[in-house]
Amino acid sequence: MDILWTTMDYNLYLNMSDLSVISSFRSMSLHTNSSSSISTNWTPTLPVTTPDGYTNHTVHINWIEVVLELVILVIGVAGNMASLLVMIQSKWGGTGIWTRALLMSLSVSDTLVLLTHVFNQQFTTVFLTLDIRSLSNVGCKVFFVMYRSSKMASSWFVAGLCFERFIAVWGTIDISTKFTSFRTTVYTSLICFIAVTFNSVYSFTTRVRGEECTKGFDNLGNKAAYRIFLFVELILYIVVPLFLLSLFTPFIIKKLFEHYQKLKALTGKSCKNNNRRLHEVTRTTVSLMLIVTTYMILLLPMATFQQMIYWKKLDSKSLKTSSFRLVAQRLEQLNYGINFFLYICSCSKFRRGLKHLLTFGKTELNSDPSSSRQWSRSPEQQH
């Protein structure tokens, strides 16, 4: 299949990660091999707003992409809601307030990302026969504030989990006295406030143009401001969180290895309690670090793509660029819907909580009460 793209505006070049990029080309010609007996593509014609007026536009729909989007959406939202229900159970004890609150907040923000992300896709507009975000300018701006803010908040919730684990395994203090309910509330509230405030101001780039909700600049007058806000968005959403995660993670892994060596050395009945406590904090840290590491791996392609687009290191007309964007988008979306399965694989306490929820409370929630209060304490804090 040969794809020819012609005349793409500069603001669209900077925003290839959403619907407005693909649907706002002035023209696109698609040529497919008609001899193919099986096709995964559909090419309806949609009206598209252009700087010169209103024209017809051929939209290329890939059914594989549609199926992946919807599968991740349904499974991700269901998994996040199940995770939230497990964690809000009043009897699900043993988890520090900081960890528990951030995991619950992460479930909410990830769900919001998934629910808004689907309306950023061109096939949604095709199926609904309109861009539902374009019903009003206010609705268009609110949509992008929700979408951007939830993604930004998720990044900082993960960074907060990583920081807490770093203090837990390396600190010599009882972190339950430092990561209190008050400080947890302040942190989560501050993250949400900064994200919503920044993106509300940033919404000056978002409006309904024709029958589409798009973002970008209208003229050279706000081009510089737009680029500044786009750069700050990349810093807050991707660069700083990934830097903090890459900074703390190696030290946490190093400490985990030391804990593993201690577990091998602890034998005999006299060491039974220390063995259990060390095993509990190690298991908890491994579970949380699995979330952190998965986040870094799945978000890195999109981080790379956005940085290369911003600094003009990619050919916008290249089919490789389009393919790279699609892969990065799917991995980024998967990041917001995979945590439920990570919890199941790595956390026995979560599995017990899920079983307790699914059986309507007929099973015991804390099967190991002797270790249930050790989630937030490092072995050095136990002596």
Side-chain angles (χ1 to χ4, degrees), residues 104-115:
M104 292 170 61
S105 300
L106 185 63
S107 295
V108 174
S109 61
D110 284 356
T111 299
L112 189 57
V113 173
L114 292 173
L115 292 176

Side-chain angles (χ1 to χ4, degrees), residues 194-251:
I194 292 176
V196 172
T197 301
F198 171 79
N199 288 298
S200 295
V201 178
Y202 189 19
S203 66
F204 78 89
T205 63
T206 304
R207 68 172 61 185
V208 176
R209 296 173 176 88
E211 295 185 4
E212 295 178 355
C213 175
T214 61
K215 61 180 180 178
F217 59 82
D218 297 317
N219 51 60
L220 295 179
N222 62 7
K223 174 181 174 180
Y226 174 70
R227 282 188 60 84
I228 291 174
F229 271 87
L230 180 60
F231 180 75
V232 175
E233 179 188 25
L234 293 177
I235 294 296
L236 294 178
Y237 164 50
I238 291 179
V239 177
V240 175
L242 284 182
F243 171 77
L244 294 176
L245 295 180
S246 61
L247 178 65
F248 292 130
T249 300
F251 291 101

Side-chain angles (χ1 to χ4, degrees), residues 87 92 95-96 98-104 106 157-166 168-169 175 245 249 252-253 256 280-296 339 342-343 346-347 375-376:
M87 293 175 189
W92 195 59
T95 307
W98 177 276
T99 300
R100 186 176 178 184
L102 289 191
L103 289 176
M104 292 170 61
L106 185 63
F157 291 149
V158 174
L161 290 170
C162 186
F163 176 71
E164 186 268 350
R165 278 298 95 188
F166 174 79
V169 299
I175 64 173
L245 295 180
T249 300
I252 297 175
I253 294 177
L256 283 178
E280 185 67 30
V281 71
T282 301
R283 184 172 55 185
T284 303
T285 303
V286 168
S287 178
L288 294 177
M289 290 312 300
L290 180 60
I291 299 172
V292 171
T293 305
T294 302
Y295 171 87
M296 295 174 64
N339 285 342
L342 298 180
Y343 299 151
S346 63
C347 183
W375 272 57
S376 300

Side-chain angles (χ1 to χ4, degrees), residues 1-39:
M1 177 177 64
D2 299 322
I3 297 182
L4 175 63
W5 294 348
T6 62
T7 317
M8 184 169 67
D9 290 333
Y10 178 69
N11 59 310
L12 304 176
Y13 177 72
L14 292 175
N15 289 275
M16 295 188 66
S17 61
D18 57 42
L19 170 63
S20 63
V21 178
I22 302 176
S23 63
S24 298
F25 290 115
R26 295 189 183 183
S27 63
M28 178 189 289
S29 299
L30 296 171
H31 307 282
T32 59
N33 186 355
S34 59
S35 62
S36 177
S37 58
I38 300 178
S39 175

